[in-house]
């Protein structure tokens, strides 16, 4: 059986879909599963254990009719038996109908007329469960498994070397994932400074490592100037980042794509969320503690509340 899943969205959307892909592979071990994702999200599949091929298409771009035609031709040439459509675009449903794929699975809603199997989306539950419900059309009506990833050996070895470089391989460490995906999910430098200083006073032998990425370089630069004895790591790909997160004793994280990696590797994670709606992005787990802003801005969560969660959670 050849399956293609069309999964728009960012890296965190892809990781939340991993549970669906893994269960599909578990029930149909000989199936070839491909995905079509936006170019910016292809990197997520470095740590997927169930996908054969990753195709890219920018669903949100101003595509010409020729672009859409090429897309249909690419899908048709691969002779898929099943298409799983994660979004609710009537046009994507129409295009899948044009490909002639026999089984077309998606949600009841826009474009449903072009589907052979329609699932009513339960939007009040954990997002990974909503994705997993699509498998009911393939007679897989089981509980959604937890997120999991497969980190390449080369990335695990890199992370071991990185921990030695940072001097944290023997002690464990607190990892700070502070790169907010938007202004509403950005946590101020002065708040991080208070948290870091309090943690260093309470646990002086527990190192603190900050993840540096393109969108949080100013934050990291400021923390290096204001905080003593913090370390910085800047993994070059998602596999190495996942391996670093897996080695942490605790991750403090704002809402971004890397938050889902902490869930997948089961590192104790404290998540700072900007709304109760964001709670749907996380499972109910003793290893995931959340704090939600009542104003819609993560910046309004006080450092004292975060510290209480760290030491009392």
């Amino acid at each position: 059986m050849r399956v293609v899943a069309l999964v728009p969205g960012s890296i965190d959307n892809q990781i939340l879909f991993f549970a669906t892909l893994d269960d599909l592979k578990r029930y149909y071990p000989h199936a070839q599963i491909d995905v079509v994702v936006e170019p910016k999200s292809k990197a997520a599949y470095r740590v997927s254990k169930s996908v054969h091929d990753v195709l890219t298409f920018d669903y949100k771009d101003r595509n010409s009719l020729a672009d859409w035609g090429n897309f249909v031709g690419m899908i048709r040439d691969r002779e898929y038996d099943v298409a799983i459509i994660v979004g609710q675009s009537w046009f994507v449903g129409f295009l899948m109908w044009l490909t002639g794929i026999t089984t077309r699975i998606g949600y009841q809603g826009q474009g449903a007329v072009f589907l052979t199997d329609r699932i009513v989306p339960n939007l009040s539950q954990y997002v990974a469960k909503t994705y997993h419900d699509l498998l009911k059309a393939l007679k897989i009506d089981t509980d959604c498994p937890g997120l999991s990833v497969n980190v390449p050996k080369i990335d695990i070895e890199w992370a071991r070397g990185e921990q030695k470089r940072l001097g944290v391989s023997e002690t464990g460490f607190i990892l700070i994932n502070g790169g907010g995906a938007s202004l509403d999910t950005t946590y101020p430098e002065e708040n991080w400074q208070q948290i870091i200083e309090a943690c260093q006073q309470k646990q002086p032998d527990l190192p603190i490592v900050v993840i540096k990425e393109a969108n949080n370089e100013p934050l990291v630069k400021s923390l290096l100037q204001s905080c003593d004895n913090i370390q910085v790591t800047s993994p070059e790909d998602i596999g190495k980042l996942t391996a670093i997160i897996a080695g942490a004793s605790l991750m403090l994280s704002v809402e971004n794509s890397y938050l889902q990696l902490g869930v997948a590797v089961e590192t104790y994670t404290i998540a700072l969320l900007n709304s109760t709606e964001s709670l749907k992005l996380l499972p109910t787990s003793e290893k995931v503690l959340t704090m939600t802003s009542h104003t819609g801005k993560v910046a309004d969560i006080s450092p004292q509340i975060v510290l209480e969660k760290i030491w009392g959670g």
Side-chain angles (χ1 to χ4, degrees):
M1 181 170 70
R2 296 171 63 88
V3 181
V4 61
L6 292 87
V7 194
S10 56
I11 284 177
D12 51 333
N13 294 113
Q14 309 305 317
I15 298 169
L16 284 162
F17 194 64
F18 279 11
T20 300
L21 295 168
D22 293 346
D23 230 15
L24 178 59
K25 190 66 174 178
R26 182 162 67 93
Y27 277 86
Y28 296 94
H30 300 296
Q32 176 183 306
I33 304 171
D34 297 344
V35 292
V36 182
V37 304
E38 295 169 36
K40 64 181 181 181
S41 300
K42 183 177 180 179
Y45 289 88
R46 183 178 178 91
V47 292
S48 170
K49 58 186 177 182
S50 299
V51 168
H52 175 266
D53 201 2
V54 183
L55 311 175
T56 60
F57 189 80
D58 197 339
Y59 298 97
K60 298 177 182 178
D61 196 11
R62 300 181 66 179
N63 298 297
S64 66
L65 287 177
D67 293 329
W68 289 111
N70 291 336
F71 175 64
V72 170
M74 175 183 70
I75 299 297
R76 183 187 288 131
D77 289 346
R78 289 173 174 257
E79 299 182 343
Y80 292 111
D81 304 295
V82 178
I84 300 175
I85 305 168
V86 176
Q88 289 183 280
S89 165
W90 74 268
F91 194 54
V92 173
F94 170 65
L95 293 177
M96 288 303 97
W97 175 72
L98 288 179
T99 65
I101 295 174
T102 305
T103 301
R104 301 180 300 280
I105 302 166
Y107 295 115
Q108 185 67 49
Q110 295 184 12
V113 66
F114 299 111
L115 305 175
T116 59
D117 298 87
R118 307 167 185 85
I119 302 297
V120 177
N122 180 354
L123 301 180
S124 64
Q125 63 181 346
Y126 176 36
V127 171
K129 290 184 178 181
T130 302
Y131 291 159
H132 189 265
D133 286 344
L134 290 167
L135 295 183
K136 292 178 180 179
L138 296 173
K139 311 304 179 186
I140 302 174
D141 192 5
T142 56
D143 291 338
C144 178
L147 301 184
S148 64
V149 291
N150 182 44
V151 183
K153 183 178 179 181
I154 189 174
D155 295 337
I156 294 173
E157 292 173 348
W158 177 89
R160 288 172 179 162
E162 178 72 349
Q163 289 181 45
K164 289 181 180 179
R165 181 186 74 81
L166 297 170
V168 302
S169 58
E170 302 296 331
T171 60
F173 57 98
I174 295 175
L175 185 66
I176 293 180
N177 171 30
S182 66
L183 286 176
D184 290 342
T185 59
T186 297
Y187 204 54
E189 181 268 334
E190 58 268 23
N191 290 15
W192 283 123
Q193 181 183 349
Q194 290 183 50
I195 292 168
I196 290 170
E197 290 177 348
C199 288
Q200 288 176 330
Q201 289 175 6
K202 191 173 182 69
Q203 292 281 355
D205 295 328
L206 186 60
I208 295 176
V209 178
V210 180
I211 298 171
K212 179 183 176 182
E213 53 180 318
N215 72 343
N216 76 340
E217 287 188 10
L219 169 65
V220 174
K221 183 177 180 180
S222 295
L223 289 176
L224 284 170
Q225 293 173 345
S226 61
C227 301
D228 295 328
N229 300 321
I230 64 169
Q231 302 291 337
V232 175
T233 186
S234 185
E236 63 185 22
D237 59 57
I238 199 169
K240 295 175 178 60
L241 174 61
T242 304
I244 282 290
I245 293 173
S249 305
L250 169 70
M251 181 168 76
L252 303 178
S253 180
V254 294
E255 184 182 327
N256 61 20
S257 296
Y258 304 155
L259 173 58
Q260 299 301 330
L261 295 175
V263 175
V265 299
E266 297 188 327
T267 290
Y268 281 99
T269 299
I270 294 178
L272 285 66
L273 308 176
N274 73 313
S275 70
T276 54
E277 189 69 17
S278 296
L279 291 170
K280 297 176 187 176
L281 298 173
L282 295 167
T284 300
S285 168
E286 63 179 12
K287 291 190 174 183
V288 180
L289 302 178
T290 61
M291 286 163 295
T292 305
S293 171
H294 298 295
T295 66
K297 295 183 182 297
V298 166
D300 292 327
I301 299 174
S302 75
Q304 289 72 28
I305 293 176
V306 178
L307 289 165
E308 289 173 5
K309 188 72 76 168
I310 292 173
W311 306 122

